[in-house]
């Protein structure tokens, strides 16, 4: 019989991307976007491409299998003052221009989703390309989704997560990967960036016992939902939650905590089948029970 500890070890292995996937999928798609946009916006362009960098889960090490989406930041230079002269009051035109340029030499479907250009791949998954103008080394102008602009500092936020993960003996990222499976199995009530940031604030110390870590997150997270953007730009990260959505999230956290407490008790008395049954409800059908 597989113990609860063994089931968790297998689960973490199953949902963690391999080194091969990091190269053949994640890095390959980032490099592909860089090559495509670099051809469309060379140094002679009024908005030359500076770089394409991973962001979000792929940058933080919290991406899970199966790989669905990869987020990248496409950084454009403002050295020729295109932002002031053309786009300061019309980010829609900027997004449209990036979309059209990408469509010109890519046969894959391209769509605009608010602040990003979404590129779909025939063999599954997509890349969300967030095009930005560089303001300084850490801050960028990002289309707001309503025609204007917002400031974003994603790499400051990434460093905060990386530093927090290190301070927690590198146990935060694996726990977040499991939390993403919980979130997916229960209506995706939390945005990934919000959940990662809440998790980073919940713990002052974190061991390698993933079962206790999950239970404590479910118990303590309700008190940390109003966390602010660690990049210092977006304010509270819970702004997307309506009153009703927040209540539903709180109920989901409470239900998960109740089951997690019961699962830990079952494990303590040696009833691994019951413990695994409860964790499967919490973490979804991919949990090996």
């Amino acid at each position: 019989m597989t113990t609860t500890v063994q089931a968790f070890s297998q689960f973490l292995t199953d949902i963690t991307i391999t080194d091969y996937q990091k190269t053949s999928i994640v890095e390959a798609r980032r490099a592909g976007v860089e090559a495509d946009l670099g051809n469309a916006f060379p140094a002679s362009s009024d908005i030359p491409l500076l770089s394409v960098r991973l962001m979000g889960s792929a940058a933080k090490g919290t991406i899970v299998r199966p790989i669905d989406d990869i987020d990248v930041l496409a950084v454009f230079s403002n050295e020729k003052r295109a932002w002031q002269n053309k786009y300061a009051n019309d980010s829609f035109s900027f997004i449209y221009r990036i979309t059209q340029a990408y469509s010109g030499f890519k046969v894959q479907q391209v769509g605009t989703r608010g602040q990003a250009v979404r590129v779909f791949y025939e063999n599954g998954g997509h890349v969300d390309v967030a095009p930005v103008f560089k303001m300084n080394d850490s801050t960028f102008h990002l289309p707001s989704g309503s025609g204007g602009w917002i400031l974003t500092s994603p790499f400051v936020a990434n460093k905060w997560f990386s530093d927090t993960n290190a301070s927690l003996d590198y146990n935060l990222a694996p726990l977040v990967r499991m939390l993403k499976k919980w979130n997916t199995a229960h209506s995706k009530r939390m945005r990934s960036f919000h959940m990662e940031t809440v998790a980073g604030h919940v713990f002052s110390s974190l061991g390698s016992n993933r079962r206790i870590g999950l239970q404590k997150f479910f118990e303590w997270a309700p008190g940390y939902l109003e966390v602010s953007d660690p990049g210092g730009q977006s304010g509270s990260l819970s702004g997307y939650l309506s009153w009703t959505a927040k209540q539903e999230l709180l109920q989901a956290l409470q239900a998960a905590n109740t089951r997690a407490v019961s699962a830990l008790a079952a494990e303590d008395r040696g009833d691994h089948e019951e413990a695994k049954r409860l964790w499967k409800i919490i973490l979804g059908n991919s949990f090996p029970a």
Side-chain angles (χ1 to χ4, degrees):
M1 180 183 68
T2 303
T3 67
T4 310
V5 172
Q6 290 170 331
F8 262 79
S9 178
Q10 183 62 53
F11 181 58
L12 184 58
T13 297
D14 291 345
I15 67 174
T16 300
I17 66 169
T18 65
D19 289 340
Y20 176 76
Q21 289 174 316
K22 289 177 185 177
T23 302
S24 66
I25 299 178
V26 176
E27 174 54 27
R29 290 185 177 179
R30 184 212 63 79
V33 171
E34 185 171 58
D36 291 341
L37 292 182
N39 287 334
F41 301 100
S44 58
S45 171
D46 62 326
I47 52 170
L49 180 73
L50 292 176
S51 65
V52 174
R53 297 175 62 180
L54 291 172
M55 54 184 292
S57 300
K60 295 172 183 171
T62 59
I63 194 170
V64 296
R65 289 196 280 174
I67 299 172
D68 181 23
D69 64 311
I70 298 167
D71 296 316
V72 300
L73 199 74
V75 182
F76 291 86
S77 172
N78 189 39
E79 62 186 12
K80 300 175 184 179
R81 297 183 64 80
W83 185 80
Q84 292 91 335
N85 296 335
K86 291 184 178 181
Y87 302 115
N89 298 311
D90 186 11
S91 64
F92 284 138
S93 293
F94 176 60
I95 282 277
Y96 181 75
R97 184 174 174 187
I98 305 304
T99 305
Q100 289 301 106
Y102 208 91
S103 298
F105 46 86
K106 270 290 185 185
V107 296
Q108 290 129 350
Q109 180 182 355
V110 177
T112 300
R113 184 179 65 88
Q115 300 161 294
V117 175
R118 177 166 284 187
V119 183
F120 294 90
Y121 289 81
E122 293 176 355
N123 59 347
H126 58 266
V127 175
D128 280 350
V129 183
V132 297
F133 277 109
K134 181 178 178 179
M135 184 176 176
N136 56 48
D137 287 342
S138 63
T139 308
F140 307 89
H141 287 292
L142 172 71
S144 66
S146 58
W149 300 83
I150 59 175
L151 296 178
T152 184
S153 301
F155 305 120
V156 175
N158 285 359
K159 185 177 186 306
W160 173 85
F161 185 88
S162 177
D163 291 347
T164 303
N165 188 37
S167 74
L168 296 172
D169 297 323
Y170 299 97
N171 288 309
L172 180 60
L175 191 74
V176 167
R177 291 198 287 274
M178 292 187 173
L179 287 170
K180 289 191 174 186
K181 288 298 183 179
W182 161 76
N183 193 41
T184 298
H186 298 274
S187 302
K188 286 189 175 181
R189 300 189 190 280
M190 293 188 78
R191 291 181 179 176
S192 289
F193 184 34
H194 185 204
M195 185 167 61
E196 290 164 347
T197 307
V198 169
H201 280 85
V202 159
F203 298 101
S204 58
S205 63
L206 182 60
S208 60
N209 187 323
R210 316 297 181 200
R211 290 99 62 218
I212 291 177
L214 287 169
Q215 185 271 312
K216 291 304 182 185
F217 175 86
F218 298 137
E219 179 183 352
W220 295 338
Y224 291 86
L225 295 183
E226 304 305 320
V227 290
S228 295
D229 173 13
Q233 301 294 343
S234 303
S236 174
L237 296 181
S238 66
Y240 66 95
L241 292 168
S242 66
W243 185 88
T244 299
K246 185 175 181 179
Q247 299 311 304
E248 290 172 346
L249 172 57
L250 290 170
Q251 290 169 9
L253 288 165
Q254 182 180 26
N257 182 51
T258 299
R259 287 194 177 102
V261 168
S262 295
L264 290 173
E267 182 183 354
D268 284 343
R269 64 177 182 265
D271 189 350
H272 294 286
E273 291 305 311
E274 175 63 7
K276 290 184 292 181
R277 184 189 73 82
L278 290 166
W279 284 119
K280 191 178 186 75
I281 295 172
I282 295 168
L283 295 170
N285 288 332
S286 59
F287 185 80

